[in-house]
Amino acid sequence: ILDRLVINMLVIPIQKDLGLTDFQISLLLGPAFAICFGLCGYPLGWATDRFSRRRVIFGGIVFWSIATLATGLAKSFPMLFAARMGVGAGEAGLQPAAYSLIADKFPKERMTTALSIFGMGPKVGTALAFAVGGWVIAYSAAHEGLVLPLIGEVNSWRLAMILIGTPGILLALLAFS
């Protein structure tokens, strides 16, 4: 959820840095993520039925984390749009695989409780995403102009996206726990 929502808190710095219009920002915040999320749900559901669900989850987390990292590295609107599409595509793999794993782990009489708890995740995650996102943005603002190896100097919004995307690549390994 953090990968998906933090961009909402960075609209003004992104808009100023890349010279984006309000319309371009609206495309980044809505269709870039949502359309890809919706369209990728079906093929990733198909993949969940045929391959290891844990690998689908792992692949999705790695993909959306790299796409979040790419958001911070984007130098133009098309690059930023493609990165946000990648976040949507990666996140689309989580729900079908998670529902399938939940169905295997819980008896029928406990299924609705388990699915309700899973369904609470995005609601609680949204609140936490804005709290953690605010902290990451404040940290990034305090380190404006940081020089990163292989990347060079980054401004605060870019650093925030890099800091949010990078840990997911390692945290994806939790899909196998």
mmCIF file of all heavy atoms in Angstrom, residues 43-61 93-94 96-98 100-101 104 172-173 175-177:
data_model
loop_
_atom_site.group_PDB
_atom_site.id
_atom_site.type_symbol
_atom_site.label_atom_id
_atom_site.label_comp_id
_atom_site.label_asym_id
_atom_site.label_seq_id
_atom_site.Cartn_x
_atom_site.Cartn_y
_atom_site.Cartn_z
ATOM 1 N N PRO A 43 -4.637 -12.273 -15.847
ATOM 2 C CA PRO A 43 -3.523 -13.186 -16.165
ATOM 3 C C PRO A 43 -2.754 -13.634 -14.924
ATOM 4 O O PRO A 43 -2.244 -14.765 -14.881
ATOM 5 C CB PRO A 43 -2.634 -12.383 -17.115
ATOM 6 C CG PRO A 43 -3.102 -10.991 -17.055
ATOM 7 C CD PRO A 43 -4.501 -11.000 -16.530
ATOM 8 N N LEU A 44 -2.689 -12.800 -13.910
ATOM 9 C CA LEU A 44 -1.991 -13.222 -12.697
ATOM 10 C C LEU A 44 -2.833 -14.205 -11.895
ATOM 11 O O LEU A 44 -2.289 -15.068 -11.202
ATOM 12 C CB LEU A 44 -1.567 -12.009 -11.873
ATOM 13 C CG LEU A 44 -0.430 -11.232 -12.539
ATOM 14 C CD1 LEU A 44 -0.214 -9.883 -11.867
ATOM 15 C CD2 LEU A 44 0.863 -12.036 -12.531
ATOM 16 N N GLY A 45 -4.150 -14.102 -11.985
ATOM 17 C CA GLY A 45 -5.022 -15.128 -11.404
ATOM 18 C C GLY A 45 -4.826 -16.451 -12.123
ATOM 19 O O GLY A 45 -4.763 -17.523 -11.498
ATOM 20 N N TRP A 46 -4.731 -16.387 -13.440
ATOM 21 C CA TRP A 46 -4.458 -17.585 -14.251
ATOM 22 C C TRP A 46 -3.124 -18.196 -13.827
ATOM 23 O O TRP A 46 -3.018 -19.410 -13.650
ATOM 24 C CB TRP A 46 -4.436 -17.195 -15.731
ATOM 25 C CG TRP A 46 -4.112 -18.311 -16.664
ATOM 26 C CD1 TRP A 46 -5.002 -19.182 -17.242
ATOM 27 C CD2 TRP A 46 -2.822 -18.696 -17.131
ATOM 28 N NE1 TRP A 46 -4.334 -20.077 -18.035
ATOM 29 C CE2 TRP A 46 -2.977 -19.805 -17.989
ATOM 30 C CE3 TRP A 46 -1.537 -18.215 -16.904
ATOM 31 C CZ2 TRP A 46 -1.911 -20.432 -18.610
ATOM 32 C CZ3 TRP A 46 -0.466 -18.845 -17.526
ATOM 33 C CH2 TRP A 46 -0.670 -19.937 -18.370
ATOM 34 N N ALA A 47 -2.104 -17.367 -13.663
ATOM 35 C CA ALA A 47 -0.784 -17.857 -13.243
ATOM 36 C C ALA A 47 -0.858 -18.475 -11.852
ATOM 37 O O ALA A 47 -0.213 -19.502 -11.580
ATOM 38 C CB ALA A 47 0.233 -16.720 -13.263
ATOM 39 N N THR A 48 -1.660 -17.898 -10.979
ATOM 40 C CA THR A 48 -1.828 -18.431 -9.627
ATOM 41 C C THR A 48 -2.428 -19.828 -9.671
ATOM 42 O O THR A 48 -2.063 -20.690 -8.873
ATOM 43 C CB THR A 48 -2.721 -17.489 -8.787
ATOM 44 O OG1 THR A 48 -2.048 -16.240 -8.664
ATOM 45 C CG2 THR A 48 -3.002 -18.047 -7.420
ATOM 46 N N ASP A 49 -3.341 -20.072 -10.605
ATOM 47 C CA ASP A 49 -3.951 -21.403 -10.742
ATOM 48 C C ASP A 49 -2.979 -22.448 -11.267
ATOM 49 O O ASP A 49 -3.191 -23.641 -11.079
ATOM 50 C CB ASP A 49 -5.150 -21.338 -11.694
ATOM 51 C CG ASP A 49 -6.348 -20.643 -11.085
ATOM 52 O OD1 ASP A 49 -6.416 -20.553 -9.839
ATOM 53 O OD2 ASP A 49 -7.221 -20.188 -11.862
ATOM 54 N N ARG A 50 -1.927 -22.033 -11.940
ATOM 55 C CA ARG A 50 -1.046 -22.987 -12.617
ATOM 56 C C ARG A 50 0.363 -23.085 -12.040
ATOM 57 O O ARG A 50 1.074 -24.042 -12.314
ATOM 58 C CB ARG A 50 -0.967 -22.617 -14.100
ATOM 59 C CG ARG A 50 -2.263 -22.972 -14.822
ATOM 60 C CD ARG A 50 -2.476 -22.179 -16.084
ATOM 61 N NE ARG A 50 -3.736 -22.515 -16.719
ATOM 62 C CZ ARG A 50 -4.917 -22.077 -16.338
ATOM 63 N NH1 ARG A 50 -5.022 -21.284 -15.302
ATOM 64 N NH2 ARG A 50 -6.018 -22.422 -16.981
ATOM 65 N N PHE A 51 0.772 -22.091 -11.272
ATOM 66 C CA PHE A 51 2.139 -22.059 -10.752
ATOM 67 C C PHE A 51 2.119 -21.877 -9.241
ATOM 68 O O PHE A 51 1.060 -21.696 -8.648
ATOM 69 C CB PHE A 51 2.940 -20.932 -11.425
ATOM 70 C CG PHE A 51 2.950 -21.007 -12.921
ATOM 71 C CD1 PHE A 51 2.204 -20.118 -13.680
ATOM 72 C CD2 PHE A 51 3.680 -21.982 -13.584
ATOM 73 C CE1 PHE A 51 2.201 -20.187 -15.062
ATOM 74 C CE2 PHE A 51 3.675 -22.064 -14.960
ATOM 75 C CZ PHE A 51 2.933 -21.169 -15.711
ATOM 76 N N SER A 52 3.273 -21.895 -8.648
ATOM 77 C CA SER A 52 3.399 -21.700 -7.211
ATOM 78 C C SER A 52 2.844 -20.328 -6.812
ATOM 79 O O SER A 52 3.283 -19.297 -7.316
ATOM 80 C CB SER A 52 4.873 -21.784 -6.804
ATOM 81 O OG SER A 52 5.073 -21.239 -5.523
ATOM 82 N N ARG A 53 1.887 -20.345 -5.906
ATOM 83 C CA ARG A 53 1.284 -19.091 -5.451
ATOM 84 C C ARG A 53 2.304 -18.225 -4.729
ATOM 85 O O ARG A 53 2.295 -17.016 -4.856
ATOM 86 C CB ARG A 53 0.087 -19.390 -4.554
ATOM 87 C CG ARG A 53 -1.012 -20.086 -5.360
ATOM 88 C CD ARG A 53 -2.022 -20.701 -4.497
ATOM 89 N NE ARG A 53 -1.403 -21.770 -3.717
ATOM 90 C CZ ARG A 53 -2.064 -22.589 -2.926
ATOM 91 N NH1 ARG A 53 -3.350 -22.457 -2.782
ATOM 92 N NH2 ARG A 53 -1.448 -23.530 -2.261
ATOM 93 N N ARG A 54 3.175 -18.857 -3.983
ATOM 94 C CA ARG A 54 4.206 -18.102 -3.270
ATOM 95 C C ARG A 54 5.155 -17.418 -4.267
ATOM 96 O O ARG A 54 5.607 -16.308 -4.033
ATOM 97 C CB ARG A 54 4.980 -19.008 -2.324
ATOM 98 C CG ARG A 54 4.123 -19.499 -1.177
ATOM 99 C CD ARG A 54 4.895 -20.418 -0.252
ATOM 100 N NE ARG A 54 4.028 -21.024 0.726
ATOM 101 C CZ ARG A 54 3.685 -20.472 1.886
ATOM 102 N NH1 ARG A 54 4.116 -19.278 2.179
ATOM 103 N NH2 ARG A 54 2.903 -21.105 2.726
ATOM 104 N N ARG A 55 5.422 -18.074 -5.365
ATOM 105 C CA ARG A 55 6.278 -17.451 -6.383
ATOM 106 C C ARG A 55 5.565 -16.307 -7.098
ATOM 107 O O ARG A 55 6.199 -15.323 -7.475
ATOM 108 C CB ARG A 55 6.772 -18.490 -7.378
ATOM 109 C CG ARG A 55 7.801 -19.402 -6.765
ATOM 110 C CD ARG A 55 8.344 -20.391 -7.748
ATOM 111 N NE ARG A 55 9.254 -21.281 -7.032
ATOM 112 C CZ ARG A 55 10.160 -22.005 -7.598
ATOM 113 N NH1 ARG A 55 10.312 -21.979 -8.912
ATOM 114 N NH2 ARG A 55 10.933 -22.783 -6.888
ATOM 115 N N VAL A 56 4.276 -16.447 -7.292
ATOM 116 C CA VAL A 56 3.514 -15.344 -7.891
ATOM 117 C C VAL A 56 3.553 -14.136 -6.956
ATOM 118 O O VAL A 56 3.788 -13.007 -7.399
ATOM 119 C CB VAL A 56 2.052 -15.773 -8.194
ATOM 120 C CG1 VAL A 56 1.195 -14.574 -8.591
ATOM 121 C CG2 VAL A 56 2.021 -16.843 -9.279
ATOM 122 N N ILE A 57 3.354 -14.369 -5.662
ATOM 123 C CA ILE A 57 3.420 -13.276 -4.691
ATOM 124 C C ILE A 57 4.826 -12.679 -4.667
ATOM 125 O O ILE A 57 4.997 -11.460 -4.718
ATOM 126 C CB ILE A 57 2.995 -13.757 -3.287
ATOM 127 C CG1 ILE A 57 1.497 -14.073 -3.278
ATOM 128 C CG2 ILE A 57 3.332 -12.713 -2.226
ATOM 129 C CD1 ILE A 57 1.002 -14.754 -2.011
ATOM 130 N N PHE A 58 5.839 -13.530 -4.607
ATOM 131 C CA PHE A 58 7.226 -13.064 -4.603
ATOM 132 C C PHE A 58 7.513 -12.211 -5.839
ATOM 133 O O PHE A 58 8.038 -11.103 -5.741
ATOM 134 C CB PHE A 58 8.182 -14.260 -4.549
ATOM 135 C CG PHE A 58 9.624 -13.894 -4.723
ATOM 136 C CD1 PHE A 58 10.357 -13.364 -3.668
ATOM 137 C CD2 PHE A 58 10.260 -14.082 -5.946
ATOM 138 C CE1 PHE A 58 11.692 -13.020 -3.832
ATOM 139 C CE2 PHE A 58 11.584 -13.745 -6.113
ATOM 140 C CZ PHE A 58 12.308 -13.215 -5.050
ATOM 141 N N GLY A 59 7.140 -12.728 -7.009
ATOM 142 C CA GLY A 59 7.377 -12.001 -8.253
ATOM 143 C C GLY A 59 6.645 -10.668 -8.287
ATOM 144 O O GLY A 59 7.193 -9.658 -8.731
ATOM 145 N N GLY A 60 5.410 -10.655 -7.801
ATOM 146 C CA GLY A 60 4.642 -9.409 -7.768
ATOM 147 C C GLY A 60 5.279 -8.371 -6.866
ATOM 148 O O GLY A 60 5.394 -7.200 -7.233
ATOM 149 N N ILE A 61 5.714 -8.800 -5.674
ATOM 150 C CA ILE A 61 6.334 -7.853 -4.739
ATOM 151 C C ILE A 61 7.636 -7.312 -5.309
ATOM 152 O O ILE A 61 7.899 -6.108 -5.242
ATOM 153 C CB ILE A 61 6.564 -8.507 -3.359
ATOM 154 C CG1 ILE A 61 5.225 -8.843 -2.703
ATOM 155 C CG2 ILE A 61 7.382 -7.588 -2.455
ATOM 156 C CD1 ILE A 61 5.334 -9.695 -1.449
ATOM 157 N N GLY A 93 -0.882 -9.176 -8.646
ATOM 158 C CA GLY A 93 -0.632 -10.590 -8.375
ATOM 159 C C GLY A 93 -0.891 -11.006 -6.942
ATOM 160 O O GLY A 93 -1.036 -12.195 -6.653
ATOM 161 N N LEU A 94 -0.967 -10.047 -6.030
ATOM 162 C CA LEU A 94 -1.107 -10.404 -4.622
ATOM 163 C C LEU A 94 -2.469 -10.997 -4.291
ATOM 164 O O LEU A 94 -2.543 -12.071 -3.682
ATOM 165 C CB LEU A 94 -0.839 -9.178 -3.733
ATOM 166 C CG LEU A 94 -1.013 -9.415 -2.230
ATOM 167 C CD1 LEU A 94 -0.057 -10.485 -1.736
ATOM 168 C CD2 LEU A 94 -0.811 -8.122 -1.464
ATOM 169 N N PRO A 96 -5.098 -12.543 -5.969
ATOM 170 C CA PRO A 96 -5.510 -13.903 -6.347
ATOM 171 C C PRO A 96 -4.701 -14.978 -5.620
ATOM 172 O O PRO A 96 -5.257 -15.975 -5.159
ATOM 173 C CB PRO A 96 -5.275 -13.981 -7.863
ATOM 174 C CG PRO A 96 -4.833 -12.649 -8.308
ATOM 175 C CD PRO A 96 -4.671 -11.767 -7.132
ATOM 176 N N ALA A 97 -3.407 -14.752 -5.492
ATOM 177 C CA ALA A 97 -2.563 -15.750 -4.823
ATOM 178 C C ALA A 97 -2.861 -15.797 -3.327
ATOM 179 O O ALA A 97 -2.908 -16.886 -2.734
ATOM 180 C CB ALA A 97 -1.096 -15.435 -5.074
ATOM 181 N N ALA A 98 -3.084 -14.643 -2.707
ATOM 182 C CA ALA A 98 -3.384 -14.615 -1.272
ATOM 183 C C ALA A 98 -4.731 -15.283 -0.987
ATOM 184 O O ALA A 98 -4.846 -16.074 -0.040
ATOM 185 C CB ALA A 98 -3.385 -13.177 -0.769
ATOM 186 N N SER A 100 -6.145 -17.598 -2.672
ATOM 187 C CA SER A 100 -5.959 -19.031 -2.871
ATOM 188 C C SER A 100 -5.243 -19.673 -1.677
ATOM 189 O O SER A 100 -5.636 -20.745 -1.212
ATOM 190 C CB SER A 100 -5.163 -19.272 -4.158
ATOM 191 O OG SER A 100 -4.974 -20.643 -4.369
ATOM 192 N N LEU A 101 -4.205 -19.010 -1.166
ATOM 193 C CA LEU A 101 -3.493 -19.533 0.007
ATOM 194 C C LEU A 101 -4.395 -19.551 1.239
ATOM 195 O O LEU A 101 -4.380 -20.520 2.011
ATOM 196 C CB LEU A 101 -2.247 -18.694 0.295
ATOM 197 C CG LEU A 101 -1.057 -18.919 -0.635
ATOM 198 C CD1 LEU A 101 0.017 -17.860 -0.390
ATOM 199 C CD2 LEU A 101 -0.483 -20.310 -0.447
ATOM 200 N N ASP A 104 -6.736 -22.470 1.220
ATOM 201 C CA ASP A 104 -6.095 -23.736 1.574
ATOM 202 C C ASP A 104 -5.797 -23.859 3.059
ATOM 203 O O ASP A 104 -5.734 -24.963 3.592
ATOM 204 C CB ASP A 104 -4.787 -23.898 0.808
ATOM 205 C CG ASP A 104 -4.993 -24.297 -0.636
ATOM 206 O OD1 ASP A 104 -6.155 -24.571 -1.017
ATOM 207 O OD2 ASP A 104 -3.995 -24.339 -1.379
ATOM 208 N N ALA A 172 10.302 -9.307 -0.090
ATOM 209 C CA ALA A 172 9.556 -10.254 -0.918
ATOM 210 C C ALA A 172 9.873 -11.695 -0.531
ATOM 211 O O ALA A 172 9.037 -12.589 -0.698
ATOM 212 C CB ALA A 172 9.864 -10.031 -2.399
ATOM 213 N N LEU A 173 11.030 -11.908 0.028
ATOM 214 C CA LEU A 173 11.411 -13.267 0.447
ATOM 215 C C LEU A 173 10.482 -13.813 1.530
ATOM 216 O O LEU A 173 10.386 -15.031 1.709
ATOM 217 C CB LEU A 173 12.854 -13.280 0.934
ATOM 218 C CG LEU A 173 13.904 -13.013 -0.155
ATOM 219 C CD1 LEU A 173 15.277 -12.813 0.451
ATOM 220 C CD2 LEU A 173 13.924 -14.167 -1.160
ATOM 221 N N ALA A 175 7.474 -14.079 1.331
ATOM 222 C CA ALA A 175 6.443 -14.864 0.664
ATOM 223 C C ALA A 175 6.694 -16.363 0.816
ATOM 224 O O ALA A 175 5.775 -17.164 0.723
ATOM 225 C CB ALA A 175 6.363 -14.505 -0.820
ATOM 226 N N PHE A 176 7.922 -16.727 1.097
ATOM 227 C CA PHE A 176 8.267 -18.139 1.236
ATOM 228 C C PHE A 176 8.270 -18.600 2.692
ATOM 229 O O PHE A 176 8.616 -19.733 2.979
ATOM 230 C CB PHE A 176 9.625 -18.413 0.582
ATOM 231 C CG PHE A 176 9.636 -18.109 -0.876
ATOM 232 C CD1 PHE A 176 10.359 -17.037 -1.383
ATOM 233 C CD2 PHE A 176 8.900 -18.869 -1.779
ATOM 234 C CE1 PHE A 176 10.355 -16.746 -2.738
ATOM 235 C CE2 PHE A 176 8.875 -18.583 -3.127
ATOM 236 C CZ PHE A 176 9.609 -17.525 -3.609
ATOM 237 N N SER A 177 7.906 -17.691 3.606
ATOM 238 C CA SER A 177 7.910 -18.078 5.027
ATOM 239 C C SER A 177 6.558 -18.605 5.463
ATOM 240 O O SER A 177 5.576 -18.462 4.784
ATOM 241 C CB SER A 177 8.317 -16.881 5.895
ATOM 242 O OG SER A 177 7.333 -15.874 5.839
#
